C-alpha cells in the first residue's frame, strides 16, 4: 500500500528548515524563500515566507514521507493548516549561533503549543560549535515551561545522516508513545 506521511520542520529564521529538507529530500525541494527586507537582512539573504517542501520514499512499498518546512513565527501560523491533516511529527530547529535562539524556540512553542502536544516532537540544535549542553538545558526548560516534553539533540542540517538520525528518533517516539494519536483527536 502506498501510504503518505508528513513531518514538519519548524523554527525561527535561519534555524535550518530549508537546509534539512534539502538534505533529506529525494526530489528537488520546493522553496518559498524570498529576499529579506527587514531585520533578517543582517543575518541572511533570503527567508521562507510560506513553506518548503520535499519528499522521501519509504522502504519497500510503504509509501512516501512528505517534508514540510514552516516558519515558527506566529504571523505564519496559518500555514500549519496546510500540513495539519496526516501530520505525525515535528522537528523544532534551534539556531545555536543566534543570540535569540531560545526566543525563537519560545515563539514556536507558544504559537503551536496545542498542536505540538498532540504529536511527537524533537528539538534539534543546529549550527552548534560542539558546546551546546547549556543551550540544550535551556531548550528543555523552555519545553517544560510550555507543558511539553521532547528529546533535544544536535545536528548539522547540511549532513543528511544527522537529519536522518533526528528523524529516526521522531519515528521511535511515534512507535512507543504516540501511535494512538491522530492530529486533532485521540483513539
Amino acid at each position: 500500500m502506498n501510504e503518505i506521511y508528513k513531518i514538519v520542520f519548524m523554527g525561527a529564521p535561519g534555524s535550518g528548515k530549508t537546509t534539512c529538507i534539502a538534505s533529506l529530500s529525494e526530489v528537488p525541494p520546493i522553496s518559498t524563500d524570498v529576499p529579506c527586507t527587514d531585520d533578517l537582512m543582517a543575518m541572511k539573504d533570503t527567508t521562507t515566507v510560506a513553506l518548503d517542501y520535499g519528499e522521501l520514499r519509504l522502504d519497500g512499498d510503504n509509501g512516501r514521507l512528505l517534508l514540510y518546512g514552516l516558519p515558527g513565527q506566529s504571523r505564519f501560523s496559518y500555514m500549519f493548516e496546510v500540513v495539519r491533516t496526516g501530520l505525525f511529527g515535528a522537528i523544532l530547529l534551534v539556531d545555536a549561533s543566534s543570540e535569540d535562539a531560545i526566543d525563537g524556540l519560545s515563539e514556536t512553542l507558544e504559537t503551536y503549543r496545542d498542536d505540538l502536544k498532540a504529536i511527537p516532537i524533537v528539538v534539534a540544535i543546529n549550527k552548534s560549535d560542539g558546546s551546546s549542553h547549556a543551550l540544550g538545558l535551556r531548550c528543555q526548560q523552555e519545553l517544560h515551561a510550555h507543558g511539553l516534553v521532547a528529546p533535544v539533540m544536535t545536528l548539522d542540517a547540511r549532513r543528511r545522516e544527522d537529519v536522518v538520525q533526528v528523524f529516526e528518533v521522531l519515528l521511535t517516539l511515534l512507535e512507543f508513545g504516540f501511535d494512538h494519536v491522530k492530529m486533532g483527536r485521540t483513539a
Side-chain angles (χ1 to χ4, degrees):
M1 179 174 261
N2 197 4
E3 296 288 327
I4 295 178
Y5 305 93
K6 297 178 188 176
I7 64 166
V8 65
F9 294 88
M10 301 170 77
S15 60
K17 301 174 296 289
T18 302
T19 305
C20 279
I21 290 173
S23 294
L24 201 54
S25 183
E26 295 175 344
V27 299
I30 297 170
S31 176
T32 58
D33 280 4
V34 298
C36 293
T37 58
D38 56 11
D39 299 345
L40 292 176
M41 287 175 35
M43 189 169 79
K44 54 191 260 178
D45 295 330
T46 63
T47 191
T48 302
V49 295
L51 59 82
D52 294 320
Y53 174 81
E55 289 184 14
L56 182 65
R57 277 187 314 260
L58 300 175
D59 288 339
D61 207 15
N62 293 330
R64 294 180 301 152
L65 177 65
L66 307 183
L67 311 167
Y68 293 95
L70 299 181
Q73 305 99 304
S74 58
R75 70 178 186 249
F76 294 112
S77 63
Y78 64 91
M79 290 306 303
F80 196 83
E81 297 304 318
V82 173
V83 301
R84 174 186 300 280
T85 303
L87 184 64
F88 77 82
I91 297 171
L92 309 181
L93 293 157
V94 176
D95 178 359
S97 69
S98 171
E99 293 178 13
D100 301 326
I102 292 300
D103 293 340
L105 176 62
S106 181
E107 184 174 3
T108 301
L109 295 173
E110 184 65 32
T111 301
Y112 300 101
R113 175 183 29 223
D114 293 338
D115 292 313
L116 296 174
K117 285 182 177 180
I119 58 175
I121 61 174
V122 174
V123 174
I125 299 172
N126 188 28
K127 302 180 188 175
S128 173
D129 62 4
S131 60
S132 61
H133 181 71
L135 180 57
L137 291 175
R138 292 178 60 209
C139 289
Q140 286 292 351
Q141 292 168 343
E142 199 61 36
L143 285 162
H144 180 70
H146 286 87
L148 295 163
V149 176
V152 176
M153 306 174 63
T154 59
L155 85 148
D156 180 338
R158 301 166 298 183
R159 293 175 32 109
R160 186 177 206 282
E161 51 275 4
D162 284 11
V163 181
V164 167
Q165 184 179 26
V166 172
F167 172 66
E168 288 173 348
V169 169
L170 187 67
L171 284 179
T172 301
L173 291 173
L174 184 66
E175 276 183 62
F176 293 104
F178 285 87
D179 59 344
H180 65 285
V181 175
K182 299 292 181 195
M183 196 60 185
R185 65 171 200 248
T186 57

